Amino acid sequence: MIEKKLFFLCGVFRCGNTLLRSIINQNPNFLMTPNSVVPEILYKLILVRQGNIFQEENNYQSYSNVLNNIIPNYYSNFKQQFILEQGPWGTPDNYKILKELNLLPSKFVFLIRPLNEIMASWIKLNKIPILEREKYCNNLMSEYGSIGHAYLSIKNLIGKKEKVLFLKYHDLCANPQKQIKILYDYLEIPSFKNHYFKDLKDVENITEQTKIRTEKIEVLKYNYNDYVDKNIINKYEKINNLFNNLC
């Protein structure tokens, strides 16, 4: 049996993750997952270890057997050799789990775009009224918010000097062939010659959040400042500067 190779896609949401998945999963030997439950499974199993029942039993070997086999068992029914697992793997807690499972060092991938565009995309998607937008953005930027969580991952992985590839959303839309090649080269995966970039298929279990424009790949252009006040962006100047530098 061919050993599966696991890589980690850590975000950021509203930056082309679903688009990338629609392209990558054309390759029958390469699976990019939806936002995964695996980190949550492992985290809850770690919590079990902190409980009284485990402390009384004190059977670390059996526990480790279960913990170390969660990911192999989860993907045992998948035929693909290469797995790009989407989840908040870069956060300090999840990073510790990867270290305990001896999955480090590894290769991490982020899709990225300017902060004001990400915020505007969320606001537009969920039709947030003007008077509620600042509070909504504060939630997005909180430690467990969709953007704040991704920032936590980026900061942690950069601090740990892990290998991280930042794929720019605008570059992915402008020249998807080139960005896919960059991803393949970075992950050291054999190239796949039959990728197509027009008449794409929507991913399974489609929702409004994961819906893509299937007829062609392009950035949906609109005035982001109509959705995100500059005062909100200035409030998160440090994060905004980091995202702009990565873009």
Side-chain angles (χ1 to χ4, degrees):
M1 180 180 295
I2 298 177
E3 181 181 357
K4 296 186 186 299
K5 295 186 178 180
L6 190 67
F7 313 101
F8 302 100
L9 177 73
C10 302
V12 181
F13 292 129
R14 309 307 299 167
C15 294
N17 295 278
T18 308
L19 169 61
L20 182 64
R21 186 159 72 252
S22 180
I23 298 171
I24 289 300
N25 288 352
Q26 297 165 14
N27 183 343
N29 201 32
F30 189 5
L31 172 69
M32 176 177 161
T33 75
N35 197 33
S36 175
V37 298
V38 174
E40 187 72 11
I41 293 172
L42 290 167
Y43 180 72
K44 288 184 176 179
L45 191 55
I46 293 293
L47 292 180
V48 169
R49 190 169 61 190
Q50 300 172 11
N52 292 333
I53 295 177
F54 178 85
Q55 297 299 326
E56 290 176 5
E57 186 181 35
N58 199 31
N59 188 345
Y60 278 88
Q61 183 59 59
S62 295
Y63 173 88
S64 294
N65 292 341
V66 173
L67 187 68
N68 289 318
N69 281 287
I70 290 293
I71 293 180
N73 284 340
Y74 191 87
Y75 288 108
S76 63
N77 62 316
F78 287 82
K79 62 183 179 181
Q80 293 91 338
Q81 179 184 2
F82 305 105
I83 310 291
L84 183 56
E85 236 273 340
Q86 182 180 352
W89 290 106
T91 63
D93 286 341
N94 288 329
Y95 184 85
K96 288 178 184 177
I97 293 174
L98 292 179
K99 187 173 182 179
E100 182 169 347
L101 296 178
N102 294 315
L103 292 174
L104 295 175
S106 187
K107 292 184 178 181
F108 298 86
V109 180
F110 281 85
L111 279 150
I112 194 77
R113 70 191 293 193
L115 181 61
N116 67 319
E117 295 185 19
I118 302 172
M119 286 182 171
S121 181
W122 276 113
I123 290 170
K124 187 173 184 292
L125 173 70
N126 292 311
K127 301 178 175 62
I128 306 300
I130 292 176
L131 294 179
E132 298 178 16
R133 289 177 184 175
E134 183 172 2
K135 180 179 179 181
Y136 181 78
C137 288
N138 289 341
N139 288 333
L140 288 175
M141 300 302 297
S142 66
E143 182 178 354
Y144 293 101
S146 296
I147 304 176
H149 215 44
Y151 167 68
L152 190 64
S153 290
I154 293 171
K155 186 172 69 170
N156 183 56
L157 291 175
I158 290 176
K160 298 294 185 182
K161 295 180 169 46
E162 287 287 343
K163 294 180 180 179
V164 183
L165 173 66
F166 292 98
L167 287 176
K168 304 172 183 64
Y169 173 63
H170 285 270
D171 289 348
L172 177 64
C173 291
N175 192 341
Q177 295 94 330
K178 181 179 179 180
Q179 298 308 305
I180 294 301
K181 184 181 186 305
I182 289 172
L183 178 63
Y184 272 80
D185 289 346
Y186 168 70
L187 298 179
E188 299 179 281
I189 291 176
S191 61
F192 180 67
K193 304 298 183 182
N194 297 324
H195 279 301
Y196 55 89
F197 303 93
K198 294 181 179 179
D199 300 320
L200 299 174
K201 295 179 181 178
D202 259 315
V203 296
E204 296 178 0
N205 302 320
I206 182 173
T207 65
E208 188 63 29
Q209 181 174 323
T210 60
K211 188 176 181 180
I212 63 173
R213 292 177 293 285
T214 56
E215 68 279 3
K216 60 182 177 180
I217 298 175
E218 65 177 357
V219 178
L220 180 60
K221 295 181 179 179
Y222 52 93
N223 190 345
Y224 305 111
N225 292 332
D226 288 344
Y227 292 87
V228 185
D229 188 277
K230 289 184 179 180
N231 290 329
I232 296 176
I233 295 298
N234 291 338
K235 184 176 181 179
Y236 300 102
E237 181 180 5
K238 182 179 179 180
I239 301 176
N240 182 48
N241 290 339
L242 174 62
F243 280 34
N244 285 338
N245 288 336
L246 295 174
C247 290

